Amino acid sequence: MKTYTAQVFSKEKFSLGESPFYDSRTKTMSWVDIPKGTLYTQTLDGEKNSFCLGQAIGSAVPAQKEGSYILAATDGLYLLENGKATLVKKLTDFYESYQRSNDAKADPAGRLWFGSSVDDGIHEASGNLFCLDEGKVFCREANTKISNGLGWSRDCKKFYFSDTLQKAVFSYDYDLSTGLISNKKVLFTPDEARGLTDGMCIDADDNLWVAFWGGSRIECRSTKDGSILATVNIDAKHVTSCCFIGERLDTLLITTSGNDLTGEHDGCLFTCKVDERGKECDFVKADNF
């Protein structure tokens, strides 16, 4: 098994860093600070920008038009374009009043997949996994707890999903033409004493790179049998997600949470060069919102 050690990329701290993406068209990294409702972008040559929506943003997913994003927020989905956010789909009919959007990602057909989760410390964890397809919202997996990592296999026949408080990463059969999932199976369950699965990405060999909340690491897991292939050690307690960045897509950009933590690097961004290469991210197509 390979072992890597991540390096601090930025000493700026985020309350709940999440949703890292890399748009290879513009060589731009992006991530959000969920409770601050802010999307951050940075090009490989260091140009930085940010946008505050004024409400919690669970994820910001690159869209079909270069430089644009779909923001999965508390009350709806917003298209961010040229520095302006426009509501494209209200979600109040799909969410309880105490819920917000969490992880989101585009599938290979350009549909937007996004999960809902509780946004307070009062209500029991709950939510659903949704898909936005040709302007309509469909529930693809009901009664989730905390919807987190999403990924699709290279041949588009498998879908992978991390539900943190169901304490498992699941695999499904996936139909690209319809966006339907079926045949749910547990791919692996974590050792709860060493953290719970959070966000994740998938590499060019169809292996998952899974962040561990409370576990100070990322694990590379085989999608064949769920076995551990590699570990990335990270000097932060709550590791939230990761994506592949760079010209060769061989470096992980890693987000963490600093909320209520006092570690030197809790809440910082990290990077780690690995021997494997990722896939370019998929974009939300305009026909789907």
Side-chain angles (χ1 to χ4, degrees):
M1 184 180 73
K2 298 178 182 177
T3 302
Y4 304 94
T5 299
Q7 306 299 314
V8 176
F9 175 74
S10 168
K11 291 188 176 181
E12 181 179 1
K13 293 196 171 190
F14 301 96
S15 179
L16 181 51
E18 257 285 10
S19 186
F21 280 96
Y22 178 68
D23 188 337
S24 59
R25 302 171 301 182
T26 59
K27 300 179 182 179
T28 300
M29 300 170 283
S30 62
W31 63 94
V32 302
D33 193 334
I34 292 178
K36 290 184 178 179
T38 302
L39 165 67
Y40 300 87
T41 62
Q42 181 173 333
T43 61
L44 290 183
D45 59 13
E47 181 182 345
K48 299 179 182 180
N49 283 289
S50 64
F51 174 84
C52 182
L53 183 63
Q55 59 175 283
I57 301 174
S59 293
V61 183
Q64 188 173 19
K65 183 178 178 180
E66 288 186 12
S68 63
Y69 294 84
I70 295 293
L71 310 180
T74 300
D75 65 1
L77 303 174
Y78 291 78
L79 172 63
L80 177 63
E81 195 172 40
N82 300 321
K84 180 181 179 181
T86 303
L87 181 68
V88 294
K89 178 62 65 174
K90 287 185 64 176
L91 295 176
T92 50
D93 290 339
F94 303 95
Y95 291 2
E96 300 293 342
S97 61
Y98 49 82
Q99 293 177 332
R100 62 160 172 80
S101 301
N102 205 47
D103 266 23
K105 197 166 285 187
D107 73 8
R111 307 177 184 94
L112 179 73
W113 289 66
F114 60 99
S116 58
S117 66
V118 170
D119 196 31
D120 61 31
I122 301 172
H123 295 87
E124 183 179 348
S126 64
N128 300 292
L129 178 63
F130 298 97
C131 176
L132 179 70
D133 187 2
E134 296 184 347
K136 297 180 180 180
V137 176
F138 300 92
C139 179
R140 293 299 190 223
E141 185 70 60
N143 301 316
T144 60
K145 296 296 184 182
I146 301 182
S147 297
N148 266 309
L150 310 164
W152 289 264
S153 63
R154 185 171 44 187
D155 64 6
C156 301
K157 293 182 178 180
K158 289 290 184 180
F159 169 67
Y160 304 99
F161 173 56
S162 165
D163 188 325
T164 300
L165 288 187
Q166 290 200 29
K167 300 171 183 176
V169 171
F170 301 96
S171 69
Y172 302 74
D173 292 333
Y174 172 70
D175 188 326
L176 178 64
S177 63
T178 63
L180 295 177
I181 55 177
S182 61
N183 196 25
K184 179 181 180 181
K185 296 179 180 178
V186 174
L187 179 64
F188 74 90
T189 57
D191 176 355
E192 294 177 38
R194 302 186 63 235
L196 298 173
T197 62
D198 204 307
M200 65 187 185
C201 64
I202 192 165
D203 67 24
D205 293 322
D206 281 347
N207 297 312
L208 299 174
W209 295 76
V210 185
F212 276 76
W213 179 270
S216 300
R217 72 191 187 284
I218 287 169
E219 289 181 355
C220 178
R221 291 272 188 159
S222 168
T223 55
K224 296 177 182 178
D225 57 12
S227 60
I228 302 176
L229 304 177
T231 299
V232 180
N233 294 314
I234 299 157
D235 185 29
K237 183 176 181 180
H238 294 324
V239 184
T240 56
S241 195
C242 58
C243 72
F244 284 93
I245 66 171
E247 297 285 357
R248 292 177 51 81
L249 295 175
D250 61 355
T251 298
L252 289 171
L253 175 67
I254 301 160
T255 52
T256 70
S257 172
N259 191 34
D260 295 328
L261 297 175
T262 58
E264 181 181 2
H265 298 130
D266 290 320
C268 291
L269 296 177
F270 292 79
T271 56
C272 185
K273 190 176 185 306
V274 297
D275 294 332
E276 290 71 22
R277 299 178 67 174
K279 301 190 302 179
E280 293 189 1
C281 76
D282 295 300
F283 306 106
V284 184
K285 292 184 178 178
D287 292 346
N288 289 315
F289 56 80

